[in-house]
Amino acid sequence: MRYDRRLLLLLALPGSVLALLVWGLVRLVWMSLTPKGAFGFGNYALFFARADYLAMLWRTIVVAGSTAIISLLLAYPTAYFISRMRRGRDLLLLMIILPWLVSLIVRTYGWIVLLGNRGIINGVLIASGLAETPTRMIFNTFGVMVGMVHVFCPFMIIAILTSFLHLDRSMEEASMSLGAGPFKTFARVILPLTMPGVTSGTLLVFLLATGAVVTPLMLGGVRDALIGSQIYREVIDAFDLPKAATLAVLLSVFALLFVVPLQQIERRVARHMNTTR
Amino acid sequence: MAVLTRLSGLITALVVIFLIAPILVVVASAFSATGYMTFPPGSISTRWFAAFFANSDWLATLGITLVLSLLAAGFSLVLGFAAAFVIVRRPMRGLPAIEFLILLPLVFPHAALAIAILTVVSAFGLVGTFAGVLLAHVFVTLPYAYRPIVASLGKLDAAMEEAALSLGAHPWTTFRRITLPLVRPGLTTAFLFCFIISFDETTITLFLVGPSFTTLPIRIFSQLQDNASPMVAAISTVLIGFTVALVVIIKTVFGLELFVEPEHAR
Amino acid sequence: MASSLTRPDTARPYGAHGLPSDRREAAGQPALELQAVSRAFGTHVAVHGVSMSVAQGEFVTLLGPSGCGKTTILRMVAGFEQPSGGAIMVGGAPVAGVPPYRRPIGIVFQNLALFPHMSVEGNIAFGLEVMKLPKGEIRGRVDDALALIGLVGLGARRVHEISGGQRQRVALARALVTRPTVLLLDEPLGALDLKIRRQLQVELKRIQKQVGTTFVFVTHDQEEALTMSDRIAVMNGGRVEQIGTPQEIYDRPATPFVARFIGDTNLLQGRVVASAGRRATVALDDVAGAVEGEFGSDALGAGERVALAIRPENIRISARDGDGAGLHGRLEEAIYAGAHVRCRLRVAATEIIANVPAAPSSGTDLSLGRDFAIRWDPADCVVQAQP
């Protein structure tokens, strides 16, 4: 069916909501530039003058990057295994998707129960005599990493699984029939063909991990805050919205700064795939 | 490939245990007499569920959160359908930008997105209100509505609508009797997806609640920040129950491929 | 083929609520008329000033290779595309500006486009429901339609629960129950395998005769067109090359394209030497000597360039007797093809294909390398203007 221009009227509804979103993004930048009502880069100057803020920014990038890499290392074999399953694939997929959709707060709570000083793991360690005092596993960067990998690993699995499901099984068989062993087949055929899922999953996880708030707030220590949790503190504890806006803008900028090169790689991979196919 | 398959099977098992463990301990805690799972485990009890269902305050929060999620899902469904319909049916310049904006919340760091939304909500004086959180949830769930709808509209054969027109059906009748029923799976998916996302949303909602309005996940968050009531595990378990029920519904009605490849699912 | 050459003289009403031809338009009006219709997509012209007229109750086929514009014509008649120029009349009334849902047409789509969320009956009843007919009338018409297509008792089935051939019939019934002035069929048999396809061709023709509705059928399958149509319009590059009965099209192809597209043909190039009435004597380019044929359309004068089209089955070969005049060639290949032997003869720089009856009684010795005299009845050789 062909539609005339009147159809564009339908866009008025979602368009106005999206306009609000754009307005919010603009206001975000504007707010960061108008500390105490006057235009200026004061907030930014303040940020870059403080070593603890720069360290926090760096920590955020490192934690998000590590989260992405650890998630990738766990997700890739998992996605491979799921894609190769004949029976029981649905059940396994359910085991991945359920935790993904369970409330973030509930999952974080679960980690407190598991890893806390009076938690189950410490309970087991002490009861079995392996340790005398509880090991500190949360309220530090380790706890944040565990929580973040837990939150983002399913994203990665699903991104890579999509690639695997597009991969024709006969590719693998063709490679084997041509005399390539399992490792060669993996390196020369499977890995290159699933690269799009790897790059898009890594990008997504990195971006989302830089913006995490709840996990660092609940599982992280006070002294090793990340930008996300700091933004929350600035808004809720210090009522300093311009400062929070500054942090938000810097977070977005730096996240993008790291994403752009990755995207270049993704594009090169995509181009490579098109020419070799 | 046997070596690689076995190795990846082992890792998969560990990943599944890792993913499920914190959820299982919450459920186990909820059924313990102390409300906090310890080692060695104590006695089994359902007293905390009883306490939750007897607490009208918590139940009110559960109720308002359900209403919020239903409304957010409803609005996102309508907005997502309107956008998807135009973008699929009348491709033209500028529309990819709209699509980009719709999908932006999927990839934008949520801490920054939260502040952007906060500035909008506060500009209308809606911080700490139902309406403010609802608006935020529409932003956040819109991409989850949009994607399955675009997929099902894209797969809809134009000849179906032409057939109806050629049989004398007015465009509106065609839309009602042919187009809508044929994209219904996409619409249902979109709705359920949005509902789950809204019901569990924490990060952005955290910035928008106030003394007079809060959602269930945020109330659990506050409890955990202060001295957690032993009831928290039971409440969390109820939340888990909701998610499990919805996922199982989606699994039986549409299959799980939906989560993996929204554009290839039915 | 003989049956398809005779037009149904009278449209017989079918059943109490049947599907009679019609009613709306004045007698004598063509059911469909195209007046210099053209359609351009950007710079690409899909349809070039096509004019044709389809009588009530007629079965007309638009035949041509893919991309020749036949489907575009169909979509313009249906109202899904707007002509860039010209006029379309359905039942005598111009349809410009009339939306698809107000045109008295029915369509059977290439992929059938049966509504998957409705039963067989639901599909057939849809058009009647949107016309807001009384329930009883809908019931009656749907039952009649199911009887017509031989699917009584399957009405409650879902569309995906019936066979491909049955789906075809449902799509036909769905389009016919609303009693359209013209039924458009867009290669509806394309996806079926040969056997079911043949069977449905016969059935489609029977139903068309029974209900007397005007059919405009689009296909690229020449055999389908020849067996089913009252008239065929052969299209190429957005133009109609020839309109005529299947016999006219086959026996008297107006252009080299038509000759090539329909059946096997030998095409020879030459120049008119002399003409007398329809009869022409033509000097061939590649071979010494003149041959005779008849003009396909207007007679041309001496000196005009022409193409000659002769069907392989109309060529007779015989052992060359001495040095006799006329065409002769060396047998290079003989392929047994059941009822006949397909012989490839080299005649100087060209080749001629002749289908020789395979019956042993014909007694021709078909040894390769032998020389044969090549003859045909001038009436079987069509002389076409060569642009």
mmCIF file of all heavy atoms in Angstrom, chain B residues 164-195:
data_model
loop_
_atom_site.group_PDB
_atom_site.id
_atom_site.type_symbol
_atom_site.label_atom_id
_atom_site.label_comp_id
_atom_site.label_asym_id
_atom_site.label_seq_id
_atom_site.Cartn_x
_atom_site.Cartn_y
_atom_site.Cartn_z
ATOM 1 N N ALA B 164 -6.994 -7.065 0.560
ATOM 2 C CA ALA B 164 -8.173 -6.567 1.279
ATOM 3 C C ALA B 164 -8.782 -5.373 0.547
ATOM 4 O O ALA B 164 -9.999 -5.280 0.380
ATOM 5 C CB ALA B 164 -7.784 -6.185 2.703
ATOM 6 N N LEU B 165 -7.921 -4.459 0.074
ATOM 7 C CA LEU B 165 -8.421 -3.289 -0.652
ATOM 8 C C LEU B 165 -9.156 -3.720 -1.915
ATOM 9 O O LEU B 165 -10.231 -3.206 -2.235
ATOM 10 C CB LEU B 165 -7.273 -2.355 -1.028
ATOM 11 C CG LEU B 165 -6.593 -1.611 0.115
ATOM 12 C CD1 LEU B 165 -5.390 -0.844 -0.408
ATOM 13 C CD2 LEU B 165 -7.564 -0.666 0.796
ATOM 14 N N SER B 166 -8.571 -4.686 -2.624
ATOM 15 C CA SER B 166 -9.189 -5.111 -3.886
ATOM 16 C C SER B 166 -10.517 -5.801 -3.630
ATOM 17 O O SER B 166 -11.359 -5.888 -4.517
ATOM 18 C CB SER B 166 -8.245 -6.038 -4.655
ATOM 19 O OG SER B 166 -8.266 -7.337 -4.096
ATOM 20 N N LEU B 167 -10.713 -6.297 -2.404
ATOM 21 C CA LEU B 167 -11.985 -6.927 -2.072
ATOM 22 C C LEU B 167 -12.989 -5.892 -1.565
ATOM 23 O O LEU B 167 -14.066 -6.251 -1.103
ATOM 24 C CB LEU B 167 -11.773 -8.013 -1.015
ATOM 25 C CG LEU B 167 -11.020 -9.235 -1.532
ATOM 26 C CD1 LEU B 167 -10.575 -10.120 -0.385
ATOM 27 C CD2 LEU B 167 -11.886 -10.022 -2.506
ATOM 28 N N GLY B 168 -12.599 -4.627 -1.625
ATOM 29 C CA GLY B 168 -13.555 -3.578 -1.296
ATOM 30 C C GLY B 168 -13.440 -3.039 0.114
ATOM 31 O O GLY B 168 -14.271 -2.240 0.533
ATOM 32 N N ALA B 169 -12.401 -3.478 0.861
ATOM 33 C CA ALA B 169 -12.278 -2.994 2.230
ATOM 34 C C ALA B 169 -11.656 -1.601 2.236
ATOM 35 O O ALA B 169 -10.625 -1.376 1.604
ATOM 36 C CB ALA B 169 -11.430 -3.954 3.051
ATOM 37 N N HIS B 170 -12.272 -0.696 2.954
ATOM 38 C CA HIS B 170 -11.749 0.658 3.120
ATOM 39 C C HIS B 170 -10.393 0.567 3.831
ATOM 40 O O HIS B 170 -10.158 -0.360 4.612
ATOM 41 C CB HIS B 170 -12.752 1.441 3.973
ATOM 42 C CG HIS B 170 -12.443 2.905 4.054
ATOM 43 N ND1 HIS B 170 -11.634 3.417 5.038
ATOM 44 C CD2 HIS B 170 -12.823 3.945 3.292
ATOM 45 C CE1 HIS B 170 -11.532 4.721 4.869
ATOM 46 N NE2 HIS B 170 -12.247 5.072 3.808
ATOM 47 N N PRO B 171 -9.469 1.504 3.577
ATOM 48 C CA PRO B 171 -8.157 1.426 4.227
ATOM 49 C C PRO B 171 -8.247 1.240 5.741
ATOM 50 O O PRO B 171 -7.447 0.511 6.334
ATOM 51 C CB PRO B 171 -7.519 2.761 3.864
ATOM 52 C CG PRO B 171 -8.123 3.127 2.568
ATOM 53 C CD PRO B 171 -9.529 2.591 2.590
ATOM 54 N N TRP B 172 -9.197 1.888 6.375
ATOM 55 C CA TRP B 172 -9.304 1.760 7.820
ATOM 56 C C TRP B 172 -9.729 0.337 8.207
ATOM 57 O O TRP B 172 -9.182 -0.255 9.142
ATOM 58 C CB TRP B 172 -10.285 2.808 8.358
ATOM 59 C CG TRP B 172 -10.512 2.679 9.831
ATOM 60 C CD1 TRP B 172 -11.686 2.400 10.443
ATOM 61 C CD2 TRP B 172 -9.528 2.797 10.881
ATOM 62 N NE1 TRP B 172 -11.498 2.329 11.806
ATOM 63 C CE2 TRP B 172 -10.177 2.566 12.102
ATOM 64 C CE3 TRP B 172 -8.150 3.040 10.882
ATOM 65 C CZ2 TRP B 172 -9.520 2.591 13.327
ATOM 66 C CZ3 TRP B 172 -7.488 3.069 12.107
ATOM 67 C CH2 TRP B 172 -8.172 2.846 13.309
ATOM 68 N N THR B 173 -10.696 -0.202 7.435
ATOM 69 C CA THR B 173 -11.113 -1.590 7.668
ATOM 70 C C THR B 173 -9.925 -2.527 7.437
ATOM 71 O O THR B 173 -9.697 -3.476 8.191
ATOM 72 C CB THR B 173 -12.245 -1.972 6.705
ATOM 73 O OG1 THR B 173 -13.233 -0.959 6.750
ATOM 74 C CG2 THR B 173 -12.858 -3.302 7.072
ATOM 75 N N THR B 174 -9.174 -2.257 6.383
ATOM 76 C CA THR B 174 -8.004 -3.077 6.079
ATOM 77 C C THR B 174 -7.025 -3.056 7.241
ATOM 78 O O THR B 174 -6.508 -4.091 7.662
ATOM 79 C CB THR B 174 -7.313 -2.542 4.807
ATOM 80 O OG1 THR B 174 -8.262 -2.541 3.752
ATOM 81 C CG2 THR B 174 -6.120 -3.399 4.431
ATOM 82 N N PHE B 175 -6.797 -1.875 7.774
ATOM 83 C CA PHE B 175 -5.864 -1.739 8.890
ATOM 84 C C PHE B 175 -6.356 -2.546 10.093
ATOM 85 O O PHE B 175 -5.607 -3.283 10.723
ATOM 86 C CB PHE B 175 -5.730 -0.261 9.259
ATOM 87 C CG PHE B 175 -4.830 -0.007 10.424
ATOM 88 C CD1 PHE B 175 -3.455 -0.066 10.285
ATOM 89 C CD2 PHE B 175 -5.363 0.275 11.677
ATOM 90 C CE1 PHE B 175 -2.626 0.162 11.367
ATOM 91 C CE2 PHE B 175 -4.535 0.500 12.760
ATOM 92 C CZ PHE B 175 -3.163 0.442 12.602
ATOM 93 N N ARG B 176 -7.656 -2.408 10.377
ATOM 94 C CA ARG B 176 -8.226 -3.044 11.566
ATOM 95 C C ARG B 176 -8.313 -4.558 11.419
ATOM 96 O O ARG B 176 -8.018 -5.297 12.339
ATOM 97 C CB ARG B 176 -9.630 -2.461 11.786
ATOM 98 C CG ARG B 176 -10.144 -2.495 13.199
ATOM 99 C CD ARG B 176 -11.395 -1.626 13.329
ATOM 100 N NE ARG B 176 -12.300 -1.785 12.188
ATOM 101 C CZ ARG B 176 -13.151 -2.798 12.052
ATOM 102 N NH1 ARG B 176 -13.232 -3.729 12.970
ATOM 103 N NH2 ARG B 176 -13.938 -2.878 10.983
ATOM 104 N N ARG B 177 -8.709 -5.011 10.219
ATOM 105 C CA ARG B 177 -8.985 -6.443 10.076
ATOM 106 C C ARG B 177 -7.809 -7.240 9.522
ATOM 107 O O ARG B 177 -7.779 -8.457 9.637
ATOM 108 C CB ARG B 177 -10.213 -6.644 9.191
ATOM 109 C CG ARG B 177 -11.468 -6.120 9.885
ATOM 110 C CD ARG B 177 -12.702 -6.809 9.400
ATOM 111 N NE ARG B 177 -12.563 -8.258 9.343
ATOM 112 C CZ ARG B 177 -13.437 -9.040 8.746
ATOM 113 N NH1 ARG B 177 -14.494 -8.519 8.163
ATOM 114 N NH2 ARG B 177 -13.271 -10.341 8.724
ATOM 115 N N ILE B 178 -6.873 -6.585 8.869
ATOM 116 C CA ILE B 178 -5.744 -7.321 8.281
ATOM 117 C C ILE B 178 -4.425 -6.915 8.941
ATOM 118 O O ILE B 178 -3.726 -7.753 9.504
ATOM 119 C CB ILE B 178 -5.653 -7.082 6.756
ATOM 120 C CG1 ILE B 178 -6.993 -7.392 6.088
ATOM 121 C CG2 ILE B 178 -4.514 -7.880 6.149
ATOM 122 C CD1 ILE B 178 -7.455 -8.826 6.237
ATOM 123 N N THR B 179 -4.080 -5.627 8.867
ATOM 124 C CA THR B 179 -2.763 -5.200 9.335
ATOM 125 C C THR B 179 -2.574 -5.495 10.826
ATOM 126 O O THR B 179 -1.623 -6.163 11.219
ATOM 127 C CB THR B 179 -2.577 -3.693 9.091
ATOM 128 O OG1 THR B 179 -3.030 -3.394 7.775
ATOM 129 C CG2 THR B 179 -1.126 -3.306 9.227
ATOM 130 N N LEU B 180 -3.499 -5.012 11.646
ATOM 131 C CA LEU B 180 -3.341 -5.187 13.088
ATOM 132 C C LEU B 180 -3.270 -6.658 13.494
ATOM 133 O O LEU B 180 -2.350 -7.047 14.214
ATOM 134 C CB LEU B 180 -4.470 -4.482 13.836
ATOM 135 C CG LEU B 180 -4.191 -3.046 14.274
ATOM 136 C CD1 LEU B 180 -5.298 -2.559 15.198
ATOM 137 C CD2 LEU B 180 -2.850 -2.925 14.969
ATOM 138 N N PRO B 181 -4.210 -7.505 13.044
ATOM 139 C CA PRO B 181 -4.099 -8.908 13.459
ATOM 140 C C PRO B 181 -2.788 -9.556 13.024
ATOM 141 O O PRO B 181 -2.237 -10.371 13.755
ATOM 142 C CB PRO B 181 -5.278 -9.589 12.762
ATOM 143 C CG PRO B 181 -6.230 -8.507 12.451
ATOM 144 C CD PRO B 181 -5.434 -7.254 12.284
ATOM 145 N N LEU B 182 -2.275 -9.152 11.873
ATOM 146 C CA LEU B 182 -1.062 -9.805 11.383
ATOM 147 C C LEU B 182 0.186 -9.343 12.127
ATOM 148 O O LEU B 182 1.187 -10.051 12.140
ATOM 149 C CB LEU B 182 -0.906 -9.592 9.877
ATOM 150 C CG LEU B 182 -1.926 -10.352 9.027
ATOM 151 C CD1 LEU B 182 -1.718 -10.071 7.561
ATOM 152 C CD2 LEU B 182 -1.860 -11.844 9.286
ATOM 153 N N VAL B 183 0.163 -8.159 12.720
ATOM 154 C CA VAL B 183 1.342 -7.732 13.485
ATOM 155 C C VAL B 183 1.117 -7.944 14.983
ATOM 156 O O VAL B 183 1.938 -7.542 15.792
ATOM 157 C CB VAL B 183 1.742 -6.264 13.218
ATOM 158 C CG1 VAL B 183 2.114 -6.070 11.777
ATOM 159 C CG2 VAL B 183 0.656 -5.307 13.630
ATOM 160 N N ARG B 184 0.012 -8.591 15.331
ATOM 161 C CA ARG B 184 -0.287 -8.761 16.760
ATOM 162 C C ARG B 184 0.840 -9.453 17.536
ATOM 163 O O ARG B 184 1.158 -9.027 18.642
ATOM 164 C CB ARG B 184 -1.611 -9.507 16.937
ATOM 165 C CG ARG B 184 -2.059 -9.550 18.385
ATOM 166 C CD ARG B 184 -3.514 -9.859 18.525
ATOM 167 N NE ARG B 184 -4.360 -8.810 17.993
ATOM 168 C CZ ARG B 184 -5.557 -9.015 17.458
ATOM 169 N NH1 ARG B 184 -6.043 -10.228 17.384
ATOM 170 N NH2 ARG B 184 -6.264 -8.001 16.990
ATOM 171 N N PRO B 185 1.485 -10.503 16.971
ATOM 172 C CA PRO B 185 2.589 -11.101 17.732
ATOM 173 C C PRO B 185 3.661 -10.078 18.091
ATOM 174 O O PRO B 185 4.145 -10.050 19.221
ATOM 175 C CB PRO B 185 3.144 -12.160 16.781
ATOM 176 C CG PRO B 185 2.030 -12.477 15.861
ATOM 177 C CD PRO B 185 1.228 -11.218 15.718
ATOM 178 N N GLY B 186 3.995 -9.214 17.129
ATOM 179 C CA GLY B 186 4.990 -8.178 17.393
ATOM 180 C C GLY B 186 4.513 -7.225 18.474
ATOM 181 O O GLY B 186 5.284 -6.819 19.347
ATOM 182 N N LEU B 187 3.234 -6.878 18.446
ATOM 183 C CA LEU B 187 2.692 -5.954 19.430
ATOM 184 C C LEU B 187 2.697 -6.579 20.830
ATOM 185 O O LEU B 187 3.046 -5.923 21.808
ATOM 186 C CB LEU B 187 1.260 -5.554 19.057
ATOM 187 C CG LEU B 187 1.117 -4.723 17.775
ATOM 188 C CD1 LEU B 187 -0.350 -4.480 17.464
ATOM 189 C CD2 LEU B 187 1.845 -3.399 17.930
ATOM 190 N N THR B 188 2.316 -7.855 20.888
ATOM 191 C CA THR B 188 2.291 -8.532 22.196
ATOM 192 C C THR B 188 3.697 -8.597 22.789
ATOM 193 O O THR B 188 3.910 -8.282 23.957
ATOM 194 C CB THR B 188 1.735 -9.957 22.032
ATOM 195 O OG1 THR B 188 0.565 -9.894 21.230
ATOM 196 C CG2 THR B 188 1.401 -10.558 23.362
ATOM 197 N N THR B 189 4.645 -9.003 21.945
ATOM 198 C CA THR B 189 6.033 -9.047 22.394
ATOM 199 C C THR B 189 6.475 -7.699 22.907
ATOM 200 O O THR B 189 7.076 -7.587 23.979
ATOM 201 C CB THR B 189 6.948 -9.391 21.210
ATOM 202 O OG1 THR B 189 6.406 -10.517 20.553
ATOM 203 C CG2 THR B 189 8.339 -9.674 21.675
ATOM 204 N N ALA B 190 6.204 -6.673 22.116
ATOM 205 C CA ALA B 190 6.611 -5.322 22.479
ATOM 206 C C ALA B 190 6.040 -4.970 23.851
ATOM 207 O O ALA B 190 6.748 -4.458 24.720
ATOM 208 C CB ALA B 190 6.133 -4.332 21.426
ATOM 209 N N PHE B 191 4.774 -5.281 24.042
ATOM 210 C CA PHE B 191 4.125 -4.912 25.295
ATOM 211 C C PHE B 191 4.771 -5.632 26.479
ATOM 212 O O PHE B 191 5.117 -5.010 27.486
ATOM 213 C CB PHE B 191 2.631 -5.225 25.229
ATOM 214 C CG PHE B 191 1.868 -4.734 26.415
ATOM 215 C CD1 PHE B 191 1.421 -3.420 26.460
ATOM 216 C CD2 PHE B 191 1.632 -5.560 27.493
ATOM 217 C CE1 PHE B 191 0.738 -2.956 27.571
ATOM 218 C CE2 PHE B 191 0.949 -5.102 28.604
ATOM 219 C CZ PHE B 191 0.498 -3.798 28.642
ATOM 220 N N LEU B 192 4.949 -6.950 26.333
ATOM 221 C CA LEU B 192 5.519 -7.721 27.441
ATOM 222 C C LEU B 192 6.945 -7.266 27.752
ATOM 223 O O LEU B 192 7.329 -7.109 28.905
ATOM 224 C CB LEU B 192 5.504 -9.219 27.097
ATOM 225 C CG LEU B 192 4.121 -9.848 27.016
ATOM 226 C CD1 LEU B 192 4.215 -11.305 26.588
ATOM 227 C CD2 LEU B 192 3.402 -9.739 28.356
ATOM 228 N N PHE B 193 7.709 -7.038 26.699
ATOM 229 C CA PHE B 193 9.085 -6.573 26.852
ATOM 230 C C PHE B 193 9.106 -5.262 27.632
ATOM 231 O O PHE B 193 9.831 -5.105 28.617
ATOM 232 C CB PHE B 193 9.705 -6.340 25.468
ATOM 233 C CG PHE B 193 10.980 -7.106 25.254
ATOM 234 C CD1 PHE B 193 11.173 -7.853 24.104
ATOM 235 C CD2 PHE B 193 11.982 -7.071 26.195
ATOM 236 C CE1 PHE B 193 12.345 -8.559 23.902
ATOM 237 C CE2 PHE B 193 13.156 -7.763 26.008
ATOM 238 C CZ PHE B 193 13.334 -8.515 24.852
ATOM 239 N N CYS B 194 8.307 -4.297 27.178
ATOM 240 C CA CYS B 194 8.264 -2.992 27.831
ATOM 241 C C CYS B 194 7.848 -3.143 29.284
ATOM 242 O O CYS B 194 8.377 -2.489 30.173
ATOM 243 C CB CYS B 194 7.279 -2.064 27.135
ATOM 244 S SG CYS B 194 7.822 -1.587 25.524
ATOM 245 N N PHE B 195 6.872 -4.035 29.512
ATOM 246 C CA PHE B 195 6.383 -4.220 30.869
ATOM 247 C C PHE B 195 7.511 -4.703 31.781
ATOM 248 O O PHE B 195 7.735 -4.140 32.853
ATOM 249 C CB PHE B 195 5.221 -5.224 30.872
ATOM 250 C CG PHE B 195 4.665 -5.466 32.236
ATOM 251 C CD1 PHE B 195 3.752 -4.574 32.788
ATOM 252 C CD2 PHE B 195 5.074 -6.551 32.984
ATOM 253 C CE1 PHE B 195 3.251 -4.773 34.062
ATOM 254 C CE2 PHE B 195 4.576 -6.754 34.258
ATOM 255 C CZ PHE B 195 3.659 -5.870 34.798
#
